[in-house]
Amino acid sequence: MRVGSIILPLAGSLLAEASSVSGGCSALKGQVNSALFYPDSAVYEYEAQNFWSNTEIMSPGCVFRPQSSAQLGEGVKALVAANAQFAVRGGGHMGIRGSNNIDNGVLIVMSNLTTLELSSDQSIVSVGPSHRWEDVYAYLADYGLAAAGGRLGPVGVPGLLLAGGVNFYGNQVGWSCNTVVNYEIVLADGSVVQANKTNYPDLFWALKGGSSNFGLVTRFDLETIKSPKVWAGTHTVSSEYVDQFLEAAATYASNISDPKTHIVPALVPGDDLLASVILFYDSEDTSYPEIFKPFTDIPAVSSTLDFKTVSEFAAETGAMVVPHINDVFVAGTVVGTTYAELLQGISIINTTFFEHLPKLYDQIPAANISTIQLDWQPIGADWMKASEEKGGNALGLDSSKIYLCYAEVVEWIGSSYDDIVAQWVEETTYAINNATQKAGLYDAFNYMGDAAGFQSVFPGYGEENVSKLQTIAKKYDPNQVFQTLMPGGFKIY
């Protein structure tokens, strides 16, 4: 069983387990009848399956679909009084079993919290937790605007923002969470508060990377970005150019001199190894900027680079997201300050990953492997300084270093291979970490949005930030409702 799975306390009999189920659902039945759905209903059937990955599918005892933040508050209060376990699903894109679903307990879904509106001066967009980023971008495109959100259209709004948020505009505005100016949040006592830089400022800071440890966010108010069109797409090259491609990634990471840029270089093994990079330039009239030449000078086997709206681009990248398969993402990070160090880090990760691949292929038929990918995300000084200028966050990164985050991705067909994949990614990640530690390039930061259930996230934020997060969590949730009754996700204890 994966480390990220929920393990319910054993009561000694199926009867006791059934009692636990009826306890949570019964507690809600007296309070929020109109928003409660059981397994014999169409709503339950839909919501219990409305997840991106098969890994997330479980069997909740009932579904609670609140119509408002106030009704959600009533439900939380009832669940706490009954000492009943629950899970919460926003966009449903975190592919860790038990992170946003639950067996037997109450599944709270945010599907009806659908706020999506602009402020009168169009500087702030208010977004409910039901939305995926494709909804937000499509809405903003009509105004020539964008937001610092997910790079794949199907990614959910709340998960990304509460994890920190890697985004296309990071070198201009920092982490996505640093563009949030206000959170509407339901606390453990059922109250609904507005957290911002003047009202609950400690809670406001903690939500910027602290995930769901403090309450349930029912609205995000975030800054818009004037960005009518961008020049963006994927530039894919053949395996003979892999070394040149990795050198291009290190060149960019070591000197991110143009804040309008964003890249995601990736290697995709298959019948033929391909190297493909997402290139993004925030301009409606400049193509092939100089900083991208190390990539674009490599002959492409395919390219989608062109002018488009962010909405169109997120739909393009979103087409790579295959729903209803099994998947795992694993996060890691190396740090450096020079081209040589960053290239060494990339090379170690790449070599170790590919050395371990044959073991996976030996255990799973090729027809059952949907996707394998290794990608990198450079986070440099401009990104972190922009975040600090907006009040900072809980992530604890040091602007004197260049962080090269990476993600291992495996997507497969057939749950009978779950344990094989889980063991392989743990062994491979352990080997990568050992190798980068030996080289003096390892960093403990694991980006939550790409982390696997067996990984630790908060230790990478640094002792000071972890202590601060613990203090804030105890202040607003003294009984640890969001650590014990809501067991899914990464926890601050």
Side-chain angles (χ1 to χ4, degrees):
M1 180 179 291
R2 296 186 183 184
V3 177
S5 299
I6 290 175
I7 304 174
L8 294 175
L10 294 177
S13 70
L14 291 175
L15 181 61
E17 185 175 291
S19 174
S20 173
V21 173
S22 63
C25 298
S26 296
L28 289 177
K29 191 173 183 181
Q31 303 292 325
V32 293
N33 289 350
S34 63
L36 198 59
F37 304 92
Y38 291 92
D40 59 352
S41 71
V43 170
Y44 175 99
E45 187 175 333
Y46 169 77
E47 295 289 11
Q49 298 293 318
N50 192 21
F51 293 86
W52 162 56
S53 169
N54 287 347
T55 308
E56 301 166 278
I57 303 298
M58 299 176 76
S59 299
C62 59
V63 168
F64 171 34
R65 190 165 70 175
Q67 305 285 332
S68 66
S69 54
Q71 189 178 57
L72 176 58
E74 292 173 17
V76 168
K77 204 156 40 172
L79 289 168
V80 171
N83 198 35
Q85 288 196 320
F86 60 93
V88 179
R89 192 203 69 221
H93 200 84
M94 180 173 271
I96 300 173
R97 184 172 178 81
S99 63
N100 49 15
N101 203 353
I102 194 166
D103 280 327
N104 304 316
V106 177
L107 171 61
I108 301 174
V109 298
M110 301 295 209
S111 307
N112 282 343
L113 301 181
T114 58
T115 300
L116 188 56
E117 58 190 27
L118 274 170
S119 62
S120 58
D121 65 358
Q122 299 186 2
S123 66
I124 303 296
V125 61
S126 296
V127 184
S130 68
H131 291 294
R132 297 185 170 104
W133 286 105
E134 59 197 0
D135 308 324
V136 180
Y137 296 143
Y139 172 73
L140 292 175
D142 291 340
Y143 302 91
L145 300 172
R151 298 166 301 175
L152 305 171
V155 169
V157 166
L160 180 115
L161 290 177
L162 293 171
V166 175
N167 66 88
F168 291 129
Y169 299 93
N171 291 315
Q172 298 179 68
V173 302
W175 295 91
S176 302
C177 64
N178 284 108
T179 69
V180 179
V181 299
N182 182 74
Y183 301 86
E184 180 182 83
I185 181 170
V186 175
L187 301 179
D189 63 2
S191 61
V192 182
V193 303
Q194 308 293 322
N196 48 60
K197 65 180 182 181
T198 57
N199 199 44
Y200 300 96
D202 53 350
L203 180 59
F204 180 60
W205 176 87
L207 290 167
K208 296 178 185 297
S211 194
S212 56
N213 285 281
F214 314 93
L216 306 180
V217 178
T218 52
R219 195 189 72 239
F220 301 85
D221 300 332
L222 59 152
E223 297 169 341
T224 59
I225 299 169
K226 189 167 181 57
S227 187
K229 283 201 170 182
V230 298
W231 184 79
T234 55
H235 183 84
T236 304
V237 306
S238 61
S239 58
E240 64 186 294
Y241 297 107
V242 164
D243 288 345
Q244 188 177 342
F245 180 89
L246 297 180
E247 290 165 2
T251 298
Y252 175 88
S254 64
N255 183 25
I256 308 173
S257 57
D258 190 335
K260 293 183 179 181
T261 60
H262 184 80
I263 71 165
V264 189
L267 295 184
V268 186
D271 293 337
D272 296 302
L273 174 65
L274 293 175
S276 186
V277 60
I278 291 174
L279 299 175
F280 177 95
Y281 196 67
D282 183 21
S283 173
E284 55 185 319
D285 54 23
T286 300
S287 60
Y288 293 94
E290 186 71 19
I291 194 172
F292 287 161
K293 281 180 66 64
F295 289 109
T296 56
D297 282 351
I298 305 174
V301 294
S302 67
S303 174
T304 65
L305 291 165
D306 203 351
F307 292 101
K308 57 198 75 171
T309 65
V310 171
S311 178
E312 290 167 338
F313 189 41
E316 177 186 320
T317 58
M320 296 185 259
V321 178
V322 180
H324 306 304
I325 57 172
N326 304 71
D327 82 284
V328 64
F329 281 61
V330 187
T333 303
V334 291
V335 293
T337 56
T338 67
Y339 165 82
E341 288 173 338
L342 294 167
L343 181 58
Q344 184 186 9
I346 290 172
S347 299
I348 289 171
I349 295 162
N350 178 60
T351 299
T352 309
F353 184 82
F354 279 88
E355 282 176 351
H356 281 72
L357 262 185
K359 185 174 181 180
L360 185 66
Y361 288 137
D362 287 346
Q363 298 179 84
I364 303 178
N368 288 79
I369 297 177
S370 175
T371 300
I372 295 178
Q373 186 168 309
L374 179 64
D375 59 53
W376 290 271
Q377 182 57 64
I379 307 288
D382 284 352
W383 187 302
M384 285 178 276
K385 286 175 183 175
S387 297
E388 287 304 316
E389 287 170 2
K390 293 177 179 293
N393 54 55
L395 302 176
L397 301 189
D398 178 354
S399 60
S400 70
K401 301 175 183 177
I402 298 167
Y403 292 77
L404 200 55
C405 303
Y406 65 89
E408 308 161 55
V409 183
V410 182
E411 298 179 348
W412 68 98
I413 300 164
S415 59
S416 60
Y417 301 109
D418 289 4
D419 290 341
I420 292 171
V421 174
Q423 182 177 351
W424 183 83
V425 294
E426 287 196 47
E427 290 176 354
T428 302
T429 303
Y430 181 74
I432 291 173
N433 289 344
N434 276 347
T436 57
Q437 282 178 329
K438 187 175 180 180
L441 301 171
Y442 170 83
D443 192 88
F445 180 73
N446 292 322
Y447 172 56
M448 188 184 299
D450 290 332
F454 67 85
Q455 295 189 284
S456 297
V457 168
F458 291 114
Y461 289 14
E463 288 183 11
E464 183 179 341
N465 279 8
V466 170
S467 177
K468 189 174 174 181
L469 287 168
Q470 289 170 334
T471 299
I472 295 167
K474 288 172 185 173
K475 176 180 175 181
Y476 292 101
D477 182 15
N479 296 318
Q480 294 193 305
V481 167
F482 296 108
Q483 284 74 44
T484 55
L485 296 185
M486 192 181 85
F490 295 100
K491 299 300 181 186
I492 285 287
Y493 291 104

